[in-house]
Amino acid sequence: MDNDELFEIVQLINKNFYDRVYADPWLRKMFEIVPQDVIESQQTDFMVGALGGPVRYRGRSPKDAHPHLFVTEEIWQRREDHLLATFKELNIDDQIATKWLKIDNAFKQAIIKSSLDECEKRFFTDEIISLDKKAA
Ligand code: HEM
């Protein structure tokens, strides 16, 4: 696969994935602080680089991008469910899907938190975002 093909497939995955995330009445509350097209293009640049393509992403590292978000295990799983549904719907090659999940999981411990006290604002006007527990 050349770099253009890699970019195209990552873009396709992110579009399908964030369409699901922003349509999820529970999870979307955590993402609404940023426009969907912005996060899609940041994630595409980030993932293309992480998957071995050109490194265009110049933003914060995942570790520094989420200190204000109270991401619980339950939120993490919900996000991953959407990602797996995307891989399935688009019939994504196992090799890419496995690599993608491995990259995500490498940042899991840096992103998830066990209590609200672990959240920190990145700057003065930042808001700490948490979700109510998912209605079963
Ligand atoms: C449940 C897990 C996650 C949630 C709820 C989440 C949510 C978000 C949100 C809301 C933002 C925008 C932050 C803002 O502008 O205030 C963001 C940014 C970002 N996220 Fe995540 N994310 C999650 C997992 C991940 C993972 C696994 C990665 C990478 C492998 C990642 C990479 C990034 C990057 C690169 C940015 C852009 C950073 C920046 O430019 O500031 N995220 N995320």
Side-chain angles (χ1 to χ4, degrees), residues 18 22 27 30-34 39 42-43 46-47 57-66 68-69 71-72 75-77 79-80 100 103-105 107-108 111-112 122-123 126:
Y18 284 110
Y22 280 76
L27 192 60
M30 188 156 270
F31 286 84
E32 257 164 9
I33 52 169
V34 58
I39 199 156
Q42 281 173 329
Q43 288 296 325
F46 175 81
M47 264 299 167
Y57 180 69
R58 290 272 173 272
R60 297 182 183 90
S61 75
K63 184 179 182 321
D64 298 327
H66 310 83
H68 58 315
L69 304 177
V71 179
T72 60
I75 292 172
W76 183 274
Q77 289 310 327
R79 178 183 177 278
E80 194 169 291
W100 190 302
I103 294 162
D104 270 16
N105 276 301
F107 295 106
K108 183 173 179 184
I111 293 174
I112 65 166
R122 292 162 305 173
F123 34 79
D126 226 2

Side-chain angles (χ1 to χ4, degrees), residues 3 20 50 55 70 86 100 103 113 129:
N3 285 337
R20 289 170 185 280
V55 180
F70 183 23
T86 291
W100 190 302
I103 294 162
K113 300 162 188 81
I129 315 281

Side-chain angles (χ1 to χ4, degrees), residues 5 10 29 65 76 79 89 115 131:
E5 284 165 340
V10 171
K29 295 270 183 282
W76 183 274
R79 178 183 177 278
E89 186 186 332
S115 101
L131 301 184

